[in-house]
Amino acid sequence: TSSKGTSVNGPEGIVYVYSFDTLTTTYNLIGDSIVGQVPGNNIGRSVSISNDGQIISIGTPDYDINPLDTIYDYTGRVSVYRWNSNSWIKSIDDIDGQNINDYFGFCTSISADNSKLIAGAYLNDDNGIESGHARVYSLNIPCSSGCTDSLALNYVPNALIDDGSCN
């Protein structure tokens, strides 16, 4: 499984996640694309996917924390999504950069066991002018089992494993 960020859908950006079929040697789109919400943000400048392909992090370093004003502040943002067998759903609240011109989310990575996220802000000034920083976050993403059929009466949207209880 791989992920790709690009800005071909306009300046807001778009992220696609693909799996590679070794039998047909083709890439297959997994779920819908994830499109940036605000022009100029360039979602997908950095992307990371977990070892099991179930979690992705998306860096948007050009994110403007106040899109209604006329000045881009480049605070940055990281978003984390989880695959629920049908689509990519946001699994935690977005993490925003701390300061103007941080470019938080310029780089992002998920640990092999899906428990941690690291994201960088290469122009953060907290330790000196444009010294940058990286922050590590714990990902407390639920790994519950339940009915994963979205058409069932007892559908559990955050279930990762179908337990056979769908009705």
Side-chain angles (χ1 to χ4, degrees):
T1 305
S2 65
S3 60
K4 176 185 179 190
T6 180
S7 293
V8 297
N9 192 39
E12 65 273 352
I14 189 167
V15 173
Y16 302 94
V17 181
Y18 295 92
S19 66
F20 183 71
D21 185 330
T22 56
L23 185 63
T24 63
T25 65
T26 58
Y27 286 93
N28 300 306
L29 183 64
I30 299 175
D32 292 331
S33 57
I34 300 168
V35 179
Q37 298 173 340
V38 179
N41 282 341
N42 296 314
I43 189 174
R45 177 75 54 100
S46 65
V47 293
S48 179
I49 192 163
S50 62
N51 284 354
D52 63 5
Q54 298 297 304
I55 300 172
I56 57 173
S57 63
I58 302 171
T60 310
D62 298 349
Y63 177 75
D64 183 359
I65 203 155
N66 187 4
L68 299 178
D69 65 16
T70 58
I71 301 169
Y72 279 102
D73 61 36
Y74 305 107
T75 303
R77 169 174 274 183
V78 173
S79 303
V80 179
Y81 292 81
R82 172 176 59 78
W83 180 248
N84 75 350
S85 299
N86 296 310
S87 62
W88 294 104
I89 59 170
K90 201 169 274 194
S91 58
I92 62 171
D93 291 338
D94 291 327
I95 307 168
D96 292 334
Q98 295 180 308
N99 304 308
I100 292 173
N101 294 324
D102 268 1
Y103 290 90
F104 181 71
F106 192 81
C107 53
T108 180
S109 186
I110 299 171
S111 65
D113 65 358
N114 299 347
S115 68
K116 304 270 188 299
L117 165 75
I118 187 168
Y122 80 99
L123 290 180
N124 179 277
D125 295 333
D126 287 354
N127 292 312
I129 297 173
E130 296 180 357
S131 58
H133 73 208
R135 294 193 176 262
V136 178
Y137 299 88
S138 290
L139 294 177
N140 297 316
I141 298 173
C143 294
S144 65
S145 63
C147 175
T148 59
D149 180 356
S150 62
L151 300 176
L153 295 174
N154 61 335
Y155 171 61
V156 180
N158 64 344
L160 295 177
I161 301 167
D162 193 292
D163 65 2
S165 67
C166 297
N167 54 29

